[in-house]
Amino acid sequence: MIAPEDMAVCRELIRTGSYSFHAASRVLPARVRDPALALYAFCRVADDAVDEVAASDKGAAVARLKDRLDRIYAGQPRDAASDRAFASVVEEFEMPRALPEALIEGLEWDASGRRYKDLSELQAYSARVASAVGAMMCVLMRVRDPDVIARACDLGLAMQLTNIARDVGEDARAGRLFLPLDWLAEEGIDPEEFLADPQPLPGICRCTERLIKRADMLYWRAATGVRCLPLDCRPGILAAGRVYAAIGDQVVRRGHDSVTSRAYTSGRRKLVLMVGSVFSSMGFSLLPRSARLHAKPEPEIAFLVDAASRKPEGQDRAELLIGAMMALKARDRGLA
């Protein structure tokens, strides 16, 4: 169990560091909400550990993160609330290590200032920093169905592409560029010239529009997986997707100009979306499963689906034991 004082720190980290998830988490059941807050707190601290140091220190910051993860999986977390809380989550839910390792790999790509030549490379990055979290959320909900996990990873991709579309100007002013390089080449935009003087060029707006359209398709497909989650988890996950999708809607309303200013959703709008998600999720049980649920995972997220859908070793042993007991009972009935 997560210590109450560690849980309090995690809640505060998310309250001040991730407004959208903090809002959506309010409609998650407590059995999922608390471990989810612990998970997001560790992710938030990990991101800050790399993002808030000088460029020359980022490699060392990533190395320290890897050491922290080693200690967490060894059951000896660093003396920090987020690490202790996440260690409890890892133990209780048998979290596949490949999932948080993917997240740290994505942060390592950030630290190196990597750029992405095409949409596939950008999705590979988004898979690590966002879809990995979606897969971990499935583990917290005790969901191991690969189709449902694939849709959760779609949601992670959509959210990250929305973030990138929203932050084009902010990232550029910080010297970062996430727009696919082949898209920029098609628009005749030189990346270095754009970074030197970020302006809402028509070509940049068209690239942003393409990101939003891609995210919208992924939100649409991800919704089929929400219907297969535990009943009391559906409103929170649906709300999280809708809150992020609403950010994309704001970018669209601004003519896809996210260089001049940064789009956001108001607290009032988030509340409306959360309430609407509660009512929408009630009707999910009445709807037939969509064929989109079984869509093949994007190639960039397949490794996450494989890791998250693999049953814990102890669970396999339990199933074998139950099977053996049932066979013995059947044999006894045959001898009677």
Side-chain angles (χ1 to χ4, degrees):
M1 295 292 291
I2 302 171
E5 57 272 20
D6 290 341
M7 195 66 251
V9 173
C10 291
R11 288 194 191 97
E12 185 61 19
L13 279 169
I14 299 306
R15 188 185 69 80
T16 58
S18 183
Y19 301 117
S20 295
F21 179 75
H22 182 262
S25 71
R26 294 179 182 180
V27 287
L28 283 171
R31 63 183 171 80
V32 176
R33 181 178 61 246
D34 285 353
L37 288 171
L39 164 62
Y40 268 75
F42 179 77
C43 295
R44 177 78 267 162
V45 169
D47 187 45
D48 290 345
V50 176
D51 197 41
E52 295 179 357
V53 298
S56 58
D57 296 330
K58 289 186 183 294
V62 171
R64 287 192 294 272
L65 269 181
K66 292 179 179 178
D67 178 67
R68 286 168 65 177
L69 193 63
D70 285 342
R71 294 182 61 173
I72 285 169
Y73 273 84
Q76 299 175 334
R78 193 187 64 150
D79 186 20
S82 60
D83 291 44
R84 289 192 298 267
F86 187 50
S88 295
V89 169
V90 165
E91 181 179 7
E92 180 179 353
F93 293 90
E94 299 184 81
M95 182 68 68
R97 181 168 175 156
L99 303 180
E101 281 184 336
L103 172 68
I104 291 177
E105 184 180 24
L107 297 178
E108 189 170 18
W109 291 8
D110 265 339
S112 68
R114 182 181 293 208
R115 294 182 187 174
Y116 305 98
K117 69 178 182 181
D118 53 27
L119 180 62
S120 178
E121 285 196 357
L122 183 60
Q123 288 197 164
Y125 164 72
S126 300
R128 284 157 175 79
V129 297
S131 295
V133 180
M136 285 190 274
M137 285 295 297
C138 284
V139 173
L140 299 187
M141 290 181 277
R142 311 286 187 185
V143 172
R144 297 280 182 167
D145 183 311
D147 285 335
V148 180
I149 294 167
R151 304 291 74 85
C153 290
D154 282 345
L155 182 57
L157 288 179
M159 288 177 166
Q160 186 60 26
L161 294 181
T162 300
N163 277 340
I164 292 168
R166 175 193 63 189
D167 294 340
V168 171
E170 185 175 289
D171 284 335
R173 286 184 282 274
R176 297 189 296 258
L177 183 65
F178 292 96
L179 296 174
L181 297 180
D182 62 344
W183 291 7
L184 295 177
E186 290 172 19
E187 297 291 349
I189 295 172
D190 181 274
E192 302 308 326
E193 290 181 3
F194 173 66
L195 289 176
D197 183 24
Q199 296 294 328
L201 305 171
I204 292 292
C205 293
R206 283 191 290 270
C207 289
T208 303
E209 181 181 10
R210 291 174 74 174
L211 279 183
I212 294 294
K213 286 182 176 179
R214 178 63 176 168
D216 284 345
M217 186 280 292
L218 291 164
Y219 284 124
W220 173 72
R221 197 167 67 189
T224 64
V226 177
R227 298 174 188 176
C228 302
L229 297 176
L231 187 63
D232 57 356
C233 295
R234 294 174 192 173
I237 303 304
L238 187 62
R242 287 183 171 181
V243 166
Y244 269 85
I247 294 172
D249 292 342
Q250 288 296 320
V251 174
V252 173
R253 290 191 183 96
R254 295 166 186 238
H256 302 98
D257 173 13
S258 54
V259 176
T260 304
S261 60
R262 189 174 188 263
Y264 68 95
T265 50
S266 67
R268 186 173 185 175
R269 178 62 177 154
K270 288 175 184 174
L271 180 60
V272 170
L273 291 169
M274 286 166 56
V275 173
S277 296
V278 172
F279 286 102
S280 295
S281 64
M282 290 177 181
F284 279 179
S285 300
L286 305 175
L287 298 174
R289 287 195 176 192
S290 169
R292 297 195 306 273
L293 173 67
H294 308 295
K296 187 177 179 180
E298 297 290 318
E300 301 85 4
I301 65 172
F303 77 105
L304 298 171
V305 176
D306 289 343
S309 61
R310 200 173 300 129
K311 292 180 180 178
E313 189 176 320
Q315 186 175 337
D316 289 338
R317 286 199 298 268
E319 288 179 355
L320 286 172
L321 180 59
I322 292 169
M325 291 174 65
M326 291 177 68
L328 285 171
K329 286 183 178 181
R331 188 192 68 178
D332 290 344
R333 284 195 297 269
L335 294 174

